[in-house]
Amino acid sequence: MSVASVQALHDKAEVVFEDGSKMQTDAVVGADGYHSVVRRAIAPDAPYARYAGYLVWRGLVDEQALTRPVSWPSNGGLWIDIVRGYRLVAAVLPGRDGSMEIGHRQVTFAWFDAHRDELLRATNRLTPEGFLVGTLGRGSIDTEVRSELLSMIHGLWPEMWAEAVALGVLSTASLSGAPIAEYVPERLAAGPLAIVGDAAHVVSPMTGSGFASGVDDAAVLSRMLAERNDEEPVSAALQNYQSARLPYVRALVNHSRRLSAEYVYQASSRQVATGGPLWYPMPIEASWSSHTWAWRSAAVVRNRKTAGQVRPSG
């Protein structure tokens, strides 16, 4: 059952469910995403994430469905290019059976598009104030938009990826449009309430730190709770978590905003990349799932070595 709202009641937290039922507990930790219900209680003056100015079309297709395999090695890492203000990130993944045999893999792509503000407003995903309140889920993207994307593919992306991107765009079960949100938090806790991950701070995937920073949140919060004295209220541990994490995550989101502003400027000026991909594929630490992706550069890893941080192993 979905949670309708939460609130702090002195040293307890109250959860209100959609059917009107209520429950009281010692604490509530919100890991409920960029449209967080718990964040609204912690930061009622700033409850929503702001649109970063672009969305990412994401797709995943079976290599067996293509007329020929993708000419990209299984250990090739990420392919990244930007052409006329559009950016493509693509890679091959294990097939549904785990196989990395050429012809039996999966192909994933993320197509950055900074020209969809009107679409997001027309579909009520973007408010007039610039806040994001929804995404373009699979099956919700109309034929006209798909046709426009299809008409652009061969003028933007190389033959190596073009067929896979086209197949993903055509598939109502594959294509989704994720508008990129950013949220700079003023607080991460209030009394017996706390937030972690995208509920607490939202960054562009260009930072390569969205998932990892959420894991760090959980690690630091669990440590603070474990170190709490029995006579201390839970809220004291939540405040310690906020003190340890808030400076870092605010800096991370501000870094994300600079990256986004640079990309949107580049996209609005329709700058054309020449001489091949801007970022050449290389063996970099990468984490991919069916429709989410992240990469972490050495610079980002170094920047995360700050006070109060706990880095996950592996």
Side-chain angles (χ1 to χ4, degrees), residues 6-307:
V6 300
Q7 64 175 326
L9 297 175
H10 304 295
D11 61 341
K12 295 289 184 180
E14 182 179 73
V15 180
V16 180
F17 297 97
E18 284 191 336
D19 66 354
S21 61
K22 300 179 180 179
M23 179 183 72
Q24 287 194 8
T25 184
D26 291 335
V28 170
V29 176
D32 49 340
Y34 80 91
H35 200 214
S36 171
V37 171
V38 182
R39 185 203 298 145
R40 296 175 211 170
I42 290 176
D45 51 333
Y48 299 116
R50 185 168 290 278
Y51 180 47
Y54 55 102
L55 62 75
V56 179
W57 302 109
R58 289 172 170 159
L60 180 73
V61 300
D62 289 326
E63 196 173 28
Q64 289 177 301
L66 305 178
T67 57
R68 60 188 177 199
V70 172
S71 56
W72 189 251
S74 296
N75 62 350
L78 306 178
W79 185 96
I80 306 173
D81 200 2
I82 182 166
V83 179
R84 298 204 299 272
Y86 296 96
R87 181 176 183 167
L88 185 70
V89 182
V92 292
L93 303 176
R96 296 178 187 276
D97 61 355
S99 172
M100 286 301 287
E101 180 183 350
I102 292 175
H104 296 271
R105 303 169 298 182
Q106 295 181 97
V107 183
T108 185
F109 66 86
W111 176 351
F112 289 64
D113 186 344
H115 309 286
R116 300 296 169 177
D117 299 22
E118 184 177 338
L119 172 63
L120 294 173
R121 290 193 177 96
T123 53
N124 298 315
R125 269 70 170 188
L126 178 63
T127 73
E129 297 79 19
F131 299 113
L132 280 176
V133 291
T135 190
L136 298 171
R138 301 181 195 94
S140 69
I141 302 163
D142 64 32
T143 302
E144 182 179 350
V145 174
R146 293 176 187 274
S147 296
E148 181 186 353
L149 292 173
L150 282 171
S151 71
M152 298 166 63
I153 289 171
H154 290 283
L156 293 174
W157 312 127
E159 183 180 354
M160 176 171 57
W161 301 108
E163 185 184 8
V165 175
L167 189 62
V169 167
L170 282 169
S171 172
T172 57
S174 174
L175 188 70
S176 63
I180 301 304
E182 289 169 324
Y183 183 80
V184 184
E186 293 295 331
R187 58 188 73 90
L188 303 177
L193 309 177
I195 43 179
V196 299
D198 282 354
H201 42 82
V202 189
V203 296
S204 166
M206 287 191 285
T207 66
S209 298
F211 173 78
S213 62
V215 172
D216 283 352
D217 288 345
V220 173
L221 178 57
S222 64
R223 191 184 76 217
M224 298 305 180
L225 290 168
E227 292 175 354
R228 178 180 68 94
N229 295 326
D230 291 341
E231 60 271 16
E232 287 183 325
V234 175
S235 59
L238 303 186
Q239 286 300 312
N240 289 339
Y241 155 72
Q242 174 174 270
S243 298
R245 291 295 291 163
L246 187 60
Y248 169 74
V249 298
R250 283 180 57 84
L252 178 62
V253 182
N254 285 324
H255 170 62
S256 173
R257 293 171 72 178
R258 289 190 292 272
L259 293 177
S260 292
E262 180 180 352
Y263 169 66
V264 171
Y265 171 77
Q266 194 174 48
S268 64
S269 61
R270 302 278 182 155
Q271 294 184 16
V272 180
T274 58
L278 281 180
W279 296 355
Y280 291 94
M282 61 185 68
I284 53 180
E285 183 179 347
S287 172
W288 289 75
S289 64
S290 61
H291 283 84
T292 62
W293 49 271
W295 69 93
R296 196 181 312 167
S297 70
V300 172
V301 171
R302 284 196 297 270
N303 289 341
R304 293 179 61 228
K305 292 181 178 178
T306 57

